[in-house]
Amino acid sequence: MQFKPHDYQKFAIDFIERNPVSALFLDCGLGKTIITLTAIQNLMYDSFDVRKVLIIAPLRVAKHTWSAEIEKWEHLQNLTYSVAVGGEQERFAAVHKKANIYIINR
């Protein structure tokens, strides 16, 4: 699927890229995940400012949402990720897997 960001999403992507410490306070369904992933993509492959990313999310979001969004959008297909949830062995294997993005739960 092709991502065509709204103006507020473009603003948020640019804000994340320009500010090493930032936060998004947007309502549900306004695209916080795709905004963040797009900024990560740009920081990794356009400006080369970032090499690895750790995402900490509630269990269900860590387990399903982030990976689904990465798989859904065409421009994110070169991002690799590892979801580190589950038992001790599963988490250990996941954090030792080669990836750009590591997703864990709180």
Side-chain angles (χ1 to χ4, degrees), residues 82-103:
S82 182
V83 180
V85 299
E88 184 178 349
Q89 290 179 335
E90 292 168 304
R91 292 190 318 266
F92 185 84
V95 297
H96 286 87
K97 179 180 170 186
K98 186 176 180 180
N100 301 122
I101 301 172
Y102 295 89
I103 306 164

Side-chain angles (χ1 to χ4, degrees), residues 22-94:
S22 58
L24 295 178
F25 296 97
L26 297 172
D27 285 334
C28 292
L30 291 180
K32 291 179 294 294
T33 306
I34 186 62
I35 289 167
T36 304
L37 287 168
T38 301
I40 290 168
Q41 163 78 20
N42 294 344
L43 289 166
M44 282 186 176
Y45 295 106
D46 290 344
S47 63
F48 305 104
D49 289 331
V50 173
R51 288 184 44 209
K52 302 269 186 216
V53 173
L54 175 64
I55 295 171
I56 304 168
L59 179 60
R60 190 168 51 189
V61 174
K63 211 172 187 180
H64 303 290
T65 303
W66 286 90
S67 57
E69 289 290 310
I70 293 168
E71 298 293 333
K72 178 179 178 180
W73 302 102
E74 286 178 25
H75 72 290
L76 303 176
Q77 294 308 300
N78 60 338
L79 290 177
T80 58
Y81 65 91
S82 182
V83 180
V85 299
E88 184 178 349
Q89 290 179 335
E90 292 168 304
R91 292 190 318 266
F92 185 84

